[in-house]
Amino acid sequence: MSRTGILLLVSGPSGSGKTTLCRRLADEKEAHYSISCTTRAPREGEVNGRDYHFLDRADFTDRIEAGDFLEHAEVHGNHYGTLKSEVRDYISKGADVVMDIDVQGAILVRACEDSDIQTALTELFVMPPSEEELRARLTGRGTDAEDVIALRMKNALDEMKHWPSYTYRLISSTREEDYLNFKSLVLAERLKISRLT
Ligand code: 5GP
């Protein structure tokens, strides 16, 4: 007996540690990391096709018109979108997919009528333990300017209000403990009867 894949949707404010969790799961070959498209500029060290598909606005619009996105949203003044091709083929073959998307994208995926997506979907919200800790993490990253940090702090507090819409919530602690909880969620989801084929 085999099963279809899990679509693990992970949201949470910048500084929650969600990207690190998703990346590690993919690095350990436990899931495919869905590489999003974005119109934002690459940060230092980011690689096109590994961290994101970096597109200009015209290319992004073309992709919308071609129907390539499962969902797309504007976040912090830039466009982000999940390609259908990063998700569908994987889950139908029984591979698990992890995607790191914002709360607006989560609303769109939740509303998606594709039954394969709905069977695959499980949602986790990752949040920092306190507002002070969030502020420290956003400042500590050291890659963004003051005004960017202030905007992210405001957005983070707004985003945090959405946690009750998710199936699971993880309040972040140490990296190792967070990953243990995260991996445990994946392992449990793999036992779900509704995905057996
Ligand atoms: P960053 O620019 O820091 O990499 O990401 C900013 C925000 O965009 C994060 O909350 C991240 O989860 C979200 N994001 C990344 N990819 C996507 C996507 O494909 N769709 C949506 N809706 N949000 C995304």
Side-chain angles (χ1 to χ4, degrees), residues 10-15 18-19 33-38 40-41 43 46 51-52 54 60 69 71-76 78-83 99-106 108-109 141 144 152 159:
V10 184
S11 298
S14 317
K18 66 182 189 310
T19 307
Y33 184 96
S34 163
I35 301 164
S36 298
C37 295
T38 183
R40 86 151 160 76
R43 295 199 185 102
E46 283 184 330
D51 298 288
Y52 281 104
F54 294 100
F60 198 94
F69 290 118
E71 63 73 40
H72 60 92
E74 193 177 325
V75 190
H76 313 315
N78 290 300
H79 296 283
Y80 292 81
T82 308
L83 292 169
M99 62 182 189
D100 169 354
I101 69 174
D102 89 311
V103 294
Q104 305 167 73
L108 295 171
V109 175
R141 185 153 71 183
D144 296 313
R152 281 181 182 238
E159 250 184 296

Side-chain angles (χ1 to χ4, degrees), residues 14-15 40-46 136-149 152:
S14 317
R40 86 151 160 76
R43 295 199 185 102
E44 210 181 310
E46 283 184 330
R137 289 185 192 183
L138 287 181
T139 312
R141 185 153 71 183
T143 50
D144 296 313
E146 283 281 306
D147 56 337
V148 174
I149 293 170
R152 281 181 182 238

Side-chain angles (χ1 to χ4, degrees), residues 164-177:
S165 310
Y166 288 70
T167 323
Y168 296 98
R169 180 182 68 162
L170 174 63
I171 297 179
S172 126
S173 154
T174 62
R175 272 185 188 220
E176 282 312 309
E177 202 174 316

Side-chain angles (χ1 to χ4, degrees), residues 52-71:
Y52 281 104
H53 301 293
F54 294 100
L55 302 181
D56 62 27
R57 288 201 178 225
D59 287 340
F60 198 94
T61 308
D62 287 348
R63 291 275 201 163
I64 296 174
E65 279 163 13
D68 290 349
F69 290 118
L70 179 62
E71 63 73 40

Side-chain angles (χ1 to χ4, degrees), residues 4-5 7 67-71 83-85 87-92 99 107-122 195:
T4 53
L7 177 57
D68 290 349
F69 290 118
L70 179 62
E71 63 73 40
L83 292 169
K84 288 175 184 166
S85 59
V87 176
R88 282 180 200 256
D89 292 354
Y90 292 91
I91 56 173
S92 66
M99 62 182 189
I107 290 168
L108 295 171
V109 175
R110 223 173 264 142
C112 162
E113 284 174 0
D114 183 323
S115 65
D116 293 343
I117 298 286
Q118 290 309 327
T119 302
L121 187 62
T122 193
R195 294 196 195 98

